[in-house]
Amino acid sequence: MDLKEGEGPMGVQIDRLVKDESEMDFHIINTNAQHLDDDGTEIYQAGKVVTYGSEKFEKKLKNINPGDGIFSYVSKGEVNYSGGFKAFGIARAPYDGVPTEGNARIYPNDSHEYEYHVPVTWLAVLLNNRTVTVSEKRRFVGEQPTDTKIKARDQDLRQGCRLLAEVMLGRSGYPLSW
């Protein structure tokens, strides 16, 4: 809500939220496109971050809180481009603990037993040739795994997450300055 209604360009708003340690954590969630019939990008149109499979995969969503930053990652082997960080958004709600069923699923014909959702406002969804590569990501946040929560309590890591978000927003054409 702060980002949507806040004053100033997105970069300034992210700076403000990131400086307050209680406001924003960052999560990297893999799209797991290798298990889907397409490249996994329907989640962006649906306004969700999604995990699939057995109950152990729902744990990746359990610590998401409203206002947390979400980086969506696509593994190189899952698509016909180099993969990388495809989207950045802000969680709108926490995970409700309930697997999505039937037609409410984004991939209703998928063979996975469960599909888990958290609503996200995707601020930047990059074209395939504009994704942030793993080597570019390392310059900002180091060797963080591609399927984990980044506890950005350390100032350098917090700054790295903010810069990664700004790069993604800039590549999407989002206005970052006045």
Side-chain angles (χ1 to χ4, degrees), residues 1-26 65-70 88-92 121 123 152-155 157-159 161-163 165-166 169 174:
M1 195 59 106
D2 283 342
L3 287 172
K4 189 173 183 181
E5 296 176 357
E7 289 187 32
M10 187 62 62
V12 170
Q13 293 182 57
I14 289 172
D15 278 347
R16 181 181 48 76
L17 289 170
V18 170
K19 285 179 184 171
D20 181 351
E21 291 185 10
S22 66
E23 292 276 349
M24 181 184 276
D25 277 327
F26 294 91
N65 293 306
D68 282 355
I70 308 294
F88 174 75
I90 304 297
R92 295 190 324 256
T121 298
L123 302 172
R153 300 293 183 229
D154 158 298
Q155 190 57 33
L157 185 54
R158 185 170 282 288
Q159 177 72 2
C161 289
R162 183 192 65 77
L163 290 172
E166 282 195 26
L169 291 164
Y174 207 99

Side-chain angles (χ1 to χ4, degrees), residues 9-140:
M10 187 62 62
V12 170
Q13 293 182 57
I14 289 172
D15 278 347
R16 181 181 48 76
L17 289 170
V18 170
K19 285 179 184 171
D20 181 351
E21 291 185 10
S22 66
E23 292 276 349
M24 181 184 276
D25 277 327
F26 294 91
H27 305 261
I28 299 172
I29 306 291
N30 194 317
T31 62
N32 290 311
Q34 81 264 24
H35 300 294
L36 304 172
D37 293 335
D38 66 10
D39 62 0
T41 57
E42 288 188 35
I43 66 171
Y44 308 125
Q45 292 176 341
K48 311 276 185 190
V49 65
V50 180
T51 60
Y52 316 90
S54 64
E55 292 178 8
K56 71 179 182 178
F57 293 105
E58 97 178 292
K59 291 178 186 175
K60 295 178 186 292
L61 303 180
K62 283 189 175 184
N63 293 322
I64 294 176
N65 293 306
D68 282 355
I70 308 294
F71 294 106
S72 179
Y73 177 78
V74 179
S75 295
K76 178 180 177 180
E78 299 174 9
V79 291
N80 61 2
Y81 62 96
S82 63
F85 286 72
K86 176 83 173 164
F88 174 75
I90 304 297
R92 295 190 324 256
Y95 174 59
D96 63 9
V98 180
T100 305
E101 297 181 2
N103 289 335
R105 291 171 58 127
I106 295 172
Y107 294 98
N109 298 323
D110 183 55
S111 63
H112 287 105
E113 185 176 357
Y114 297 107
E115 185 175 288
Y116 312 98
H117 297 180
V118 169
V120 172
T121 298
W122 293 110
L123 302 172
V125 179
L126 303 179
L127 298 173
N128 295 348
N129 65 347
R130 305 281 293 157
T131 59
V132 174
T133 66
V134 173
S135 62
E136 289 175 311
K137 181 254 335 174
R138 284 185 188 125
R139 286 188 252 160
F140 302 112

